[in-house]
Amino acid sequence: MNYKKVKTKIKAYHNEGKTIEAAEWLLKMFDIQDHNLKGFALREKADRTCIMLTAEGDFGEQQVIRMPENVFEFSIPLILTLLTHEMVHVRQKSRKPYVEDRLEREWQAYYEMLFHKIFPNYLEVSNFHKKFFAKKLLAITKEWVKVPNYN
């Protein structure tokens, strides 16, 4: 399915107030699914400068992805990439061996956002977002491995 058709379908869901159904459809279309995803929940609207999705649940349990009710007012490639990030967390927290270290979980999720090794079907995000994700990955790497700053 081409991007124009994806955008049209998501816009139709969004206009009908079917945000959760749109997210479920997007995961299915791009084969970003996992039986340990319990479902989606909505949170308050995000402003245009900051959007946050979270995977929530205890280790060993199915996870819920919480997203803003206006999530599909943002770029669809960005949302797909953020959903991929959260789906990595779903796997990390619901399957043994669990990835218990928060920095390791974030590193793996940002790596997936950039290199698409677990979920190879994706839409290309903007260069701005690629650089943002790469900077996050490098910052996490420095914190995780305690790289000294020689400046």
Side-chain angles (χ1 to χ4, degrees), residues 81-97:
T81 302
L82 294 173
L83 284 169
T84 300
H85 178 106
E86 297 311 322
M87 288 301 289
V88 170
H89 290 326
V90 166
R91 290 173 144 218
Q92 294 166 328
K93 292 178 71 180
S94 64
R95 293 184 172 148
K96 289 184 179 182

PDB file of all heavy atoms in Angstrom, residues 81-97:
ATOM      1  N   THR A  81       7.016   5.290  13.390  1.00  0.00           N
ATOM      2  CA  THR A  81       8.327   5.100  14.003  1.00  0.00           C
ATOM      3  C   THR A  81       8.220   5.075  15.529  1.00  0.00           C
ATOM      4  O   THR A  81       8.854   4.249  16.193  1.00  0.00           O
ATOM      5  CB  THR A  81       9.294   6.201  13.537  1.00  0.00           C
ATOM      6  OG1 THR A  81       9.369   6.165  12.109  1.00  0.00           O
ATOM      7  CG2 THR A  81      10.683   6.010  14.113  1.00  0.00           C
ATOM      8  N   LEU A  82       7.402   5.967  16.094  1.00  0.00           N
ATOM      9  CA  LEU A  82       7.206   5.973  17.544  1.00  0.00           C
ATOM     10  C   LEU A  82       6.494   4.702  18.015  1.00  0.00           C
ATOM     11  O   LEU A  82       6.812   4.156  19.076  1.00  0.00           O
ATOM     12  CB  LEU A  82       6.424   7.217  17.977  1.00  0.00           C
ATOM     13  CG  LEU A  82       7.147   8.552  17.759  1.00  0.00           C
ATOM     14  CD1 LEU A  82       6.208   9.713  18.068  1.00  0.00           C
ATOM     15  CD2 LEU A  82       8.416   8.635  18.586  1.00  0.00           C
ATOM     16  N   LEU A  83       5.549   4.223  17.235  1.00  0.00           N
ATOM     17  CA  LEU A  83       4.877   2.965  17.569  1.00  0.00           C
ATOM     18  C   LEU A  83       5.873   1.804  17.529  1.00  0.00           C
ATOM     19  O   LEU A  83       5.829   0.898  18.380  1.00  0.00           O
ATOM     20  CB  LEU A  83       3.711   2.702  16.617  1.00  0.00           C
ATOM     21  CG  LEU A  83       2.455   3.531  16.857  1.00  0.00           C
ATOM     22  CD1 LEU A  83       1.475   3.381  15.695  1.00  0.00           C
ATOM     23  CD2 LEU A  83       1.793   3.138  18.170  1.00  0.00           C
ATOM     24  N   THR A  84       6.773   1.829  16.562  1.00  0.00           N
ATOM     25  CA  THR A  84       7.812   0.804  16.485  1.00  0.00           C
ATOM     26  C   THR A  84       8.669   0.820  17.747  1.00  0.00           C
ATOM     27  O   THR A  84       8.974  -0.225  18.324  1.00  0.00           O
ATOM     28  CB  THR A  84       8.681   1.013  15.227  1.00  0.00           C
ATOM     29  OG1 THR A  84       7.856   0.919  14.074  1.00  0.00           O
ATOM     30  CG2 THR A  84       9.798   0.003  15.144  1.00  0.00           C
ATOM     31  N   HIS A  85       9.048   2.016  18.184  1.00  0.00           N
ATOM     32  CA  HIS A  85       9.822   2.178  19.418  1.00  0.00           C
ATOM     33  C   HIS A  85       9.098   1.501  20.585  1.00  0.00           C
ATOM     34  O   HIS A  85       9.691   0.729  21.341  1.00  0.00           O
ATOM     35  CB  HIS A  85      10.009   3.680  19.684  1.00  0.00           C
ATOM     36  CG  HIS A  85      10.744   4.013  20.933  1.00  0.00           C
ATOM     37  ND1 HIS A  85      12.042   4.468  20.913  1.00  0.00           N
ATOM     38  CD2 HIS A  85      10.367   3.995  22.232  1.00  0.00           C
ATOM     39  CE1 HIS A  85      12.437   4.693  22.156  1.00  0.00           C
ATOM     40  NE2 HIS A  85      11.435   4.432  22.979  1.00  0.00           N
ATOM     41  N   GLU A  86       7.808   1.780  20.700  1.00  0.00           N
ATOM     42  CA  GLU A  86       7.029   1.206  21.804  1.00  0.00           C
ATOM     43  C   GLU A  86       6.852  -0.299  21.660  1.00  0.00           C
ATOM     44  O   GLU A  86       6.832  -1.030  22.655  1.00  0.00           O
ATOM     45  CB  GLU A  86       5.681   1.915  21.937  1.00  0.00           C
ATOM     46  CG  GLU A  86       5.799   3.388  22.297  1.00  0.00           C
ATOM     47  CD  GLU A  86       6.717   3.690  23.467  1.00  0.00           C
ATOM     48  OE1 GLU A  86       6.734   2.892  24.447  1.00  0.00           O
ATOM     49  OE2 GLU A  86       7.429   4.705  23.425  1.00  0.00           O
ATOM     50  N   MET A  87       6.744  -0.780  20.430  1.00  0.00           N
ATOM     51  CA  MET A  87       6.620  -2.224  20.230  1.00  0.00           C
ATOM     52  C   MET A  87       7.906  -2.953  20.626  1.00  0.00           C
ATOM     53  O   MET A  87       7.856  -4.090  21.095  1.00  0.00           O
ATOM     54  CB  MET A  87       6.236  -2.540  18.784  1.00  0.00           C
ATOM     55  CG  MET A  87       4.799  -2.173  18.447  1.00  0.00           C
ATOM     56  SD  MET A  87       3.575  -3.008  19.473  1.00  0.00           S
ATOM     57  CE  MET A  87       3.706  -4.670  18.859  1.00  0.00           C
ATOM     58  N   VAL A  88       9.042  -2.306  20.472  1.00  0.00           N
ATOM     59  CA  VAL A  88      10.287  -2.882  20.979  1.00  0.00           C
ATOM     60  C   VAL A  88      10.172  -3.023  22.497  1.00  0.00           C
ATOM     61  O   VAL A  88      10.515  -4.058  23.065  1.00  0.00           O
ATOM     62  CB  VAL A  88      11.513  -2.034  20.572  1.00  0.00           C
ATOM     63  CG1 VAL A  88      12.774  -2.504  21.302  1.00  0.00           C
ATOM     64  CG2 VAL A  88      11.719  -2.080  19.072  1.00  0.00           C
ATOM     65  N   HIS A  89       9.648  -1.986  23.165  1.00  0.00           N
ATOM     66  CA  HIS A  89       9.463  -2.062  24.621  1.00  0.00           C
ATOM     67  C   HIS A  89       8.480  -3.167  25.006  1.00  0.00           C
ATOM     68  O   HIS A  89       8.672  -3.843  26.020  1.00  0.00           O
ATOM     69  CB  HIS A  89       8.979  -0.724  25.177  1.00  0.00           C
ATOM     70  CG  HIS A  89      10.005   0.363  25.134  1.00  0.00           C
ATOM     71  ND1 HIS A  89      11.358   0.158  25.307  1.00  0.00           N
ATOM     72  CD2 HIS A  89       9.866   1.700  24.953  1.00  0.00           C
ATOM     73  CE1 HIS A  89      12.007   1.302  25.229  1.00  0.00           C
ATOM     74  NE2 HIS A  89      11.114   2.261  25.006  1.00  0.00           N
ATOM     75  N   VAL A  90       7.445  -3.356  24.210  1.00  0.00           N
ATOM     76  CA  VAL A  90       6.488  -4.432  24.482  1.00  0.00           C
ATOM     77  C   VAL A  90       7.239  -5.765  24.524  1.00  0.00           C
ATOM     78  O   VAL A  90       7.062  -6.558  25.457  1.00  0.00           O
ATOM     79  CB  VAL A  90       5.360  -4.467  23.425  1.00  0.00           C
ATOM     80  CG1 VAL A  90       4.559  -5.763  23.500  1.00  0.00           C
ATOM     81  CG2 VAL A  90       4.444  -3.252  23.577  1.00  0.00           C
ATOM     82  N   ARG A  91       8.083  -5.994  23.544  1.00  0.00           N
ATOM     83  CA  ARG A  91       8.843  -7.245  23.492  1.00  0.00           C
ATOM     84  C   ARG A  91       9.826  -7.351  24.665  1.00  0.00           C
ATOM     85  O   ARG A  91       9.979  -8.410  25.257  1.00  0.00           O
ATOM     86  CB  ARG A  91       9.625  -7.330  22.179  1.00  0.00           C
ATOM     87  CG  ARG A  91       8.738  -7.538  20.992  1.00  0.00           C
ATOM     88  CD  ARG A  91       9.527  -7.440  19.696  1.00  0.00           C
ATOM     89  NE  ARG A  91       8.968  -8.412  18.780  1.00  0.00           N
ATOM     90  CZ  ARG A  91       9.674  -9.126  17.936  1.00  0.00           C
ATOM     91  NH1 ARG A  91      10.971  -8.980  17.863  1.00  0.00           N
ATOM     92  NH2 ARG A  91       9.083  -9.984  17.142  1.00  0.00           N
ATOM     93  N   GLN A  92      10.504  -6.253  24.975  1.00  0.00           N
ATOM     94  CA  GLN A  92      11.523  -6.271  26.030  1.00  0.00           C
ATOM     95  C   GLN A  92      10.929  -6.592  27.403  1.00  0.00           C
ATOM     96  O   GLN A  92      11.586  -7.222  28.229  1.00  0.00           O
ATOM     97  CB  GLN A  92      12.205  -4.900  26.122  1.00  0.00           C
ATOM     98  CG  GLN A  92      13.016  -4.523  24.912  1.00  0.00           C
ATOM     99  CD  GLN A  92      13.363  -3.051  24.927  1.00  0.00           C
ATOM    100  OE1 GLN A  92      12.615  -2.210  25.430  1.00  0.00           O
ATOM    101  NE2 GLN A  92      14.520  -2.726  24.364  1.00  0.00           N
ATOM    102  N   LYS A  93       9.712  -6.130  27.629  1.00  0.00           N
ATOM    103  CA  LYS A  93       9.117  -6.274  28.957  1.00  0.00           C
ATOM    104  C   LYS A  93       8.213  -7.498  29.091  1.00  0.00           C
ATOM    105  O   LYS A  93       7.840  -7.858  30.202  1.00  0.00           O
ATOM    106  CB  LYS A  93       8.329  -5.009  29.301  1.00  0.00           C
ATOM    107  CG  LYS A  93       9.229  -3.788  29.503  1.00  0.00           C
ATOM    108  CD  LYS A  93       8.429  -2.548  29.781  1.00  0.00           C
ATOM    109  CE  LYS A  93       7.806  -2.586  31.155  1.00  0.00           C
ATOM    110  NZ  LYS A  93       7.017  -1.387  31.444  1.00  0.00           N
ATOM    111  N   SER A  94       7.865  -8.133  27.983  1.00  0.00           N
ATOM    112  CA  SER A  94       6.905  -9.233  28.065  1.00  0.00           C
ATOM    113  C   SER A  94       7.510 -10.602  27.752  1.00  0.00           C
ATOM    114  O   SER A  94       6.845 -11.612  27.921  1.00  0.00           O
ATOM    115  CB  SER A  94       5.719  -8.962  27.133  1.00  0.00           C
ATOM    116  OG  SER A  94       6.143  -8.926  25.786  1.00  0.00           O
ATOM    117  N   ARG A  95       8.736 -10.627  27.283  1.00  0.00           N
ATOM    118  CA  ARG A  95       9.388 -11.888  26.907  1.00  0.00           C
ATOM    119  C   ARG A  95      10.687 -12.065  27.684  1.00  0.00           C
ATOM    120  O   ARG A  95      11.446 -11.121  27.842  1.00  0.00           O
ATOM    121  CB  ARG A  95       9.772 -11.866  25.428  1.00  0.00           C
ATOM    122  CG  ARG A  95       8.634 -11.845  24.498  1.00  0.00           C
ATOM    123  CD  ARG A  95       9.184 -11.936  23.090  1.00  0.00           C
ATOM    124  NE  ARG A  95       8.080 -12.106  22.193  1.00  0.00           N
ATOM    125  CZ  ARG A  95       8.048 -11.653  20.973  1.00  0.00           C
ATOM    126  NH1 ARG A  95       9.079 -11.012  20.482  1.00  0.00           N
ATOM    127  NH2 ARG A  95       7.003 -11.853  20.212  1.00  0.00           N
ATOM    128  N   LYS A  96      10.935 -13.293  28.074  1.00  0.00           N
ATOM    129  CA  LYS A  96      12.223 -13.599  28.707  1.00  0.00           C
ATOM    130  C   LYS A  96      13.270 -13.773  27.625  1.00  0.00           C
ATOM    131  O   LYS A  96      12.948 -14.282  26.560  1.00  0.00           O
ATOM    132  CB  LYS A  96      12.107 -14.862  29.554  1.00  0.00           C
ATOM    133  CG  LYS A  96      11.302 -14.668  30.799  1.00  0.00           C
ATOM    134  CD  LYS A  96      11.313 -15.924  31.631  1.00  0.00           C
ATOM    135  CE  LYS A  96      10.496 -15.692  32.906  1.00  0.00           C
ATOM    136  NZ  LYS A  96      10.510 -16.862  33.765  1.00  0.00           N
ATOM    137  N   PRO A  97      14.489 -13.394  27.818  1.00  0.00           N
ATOM    138  CA  PRO A  97      14.968 -12.686  28.999  1.00  0.00           C
ATOM    139  C   PRO A  97      14.544 -11.220  28.933  1.00  0.00           C
ATOM    140  O   PRO A  97      14.712 -10.561  27.894  1.00  0.00           O
ATOM    141  CB  PRO A  97      16.485 -12.816  28.914  1.00  0.00           C
ATOM    142  CG  PRO A  97      16.764 -12.957  27.443  1.00  0.00           C
ATOM    143  CD  PRO A  97      15.564 -13.653  26.857  1.00  0.00           C
TER     144      PRO A  97
END
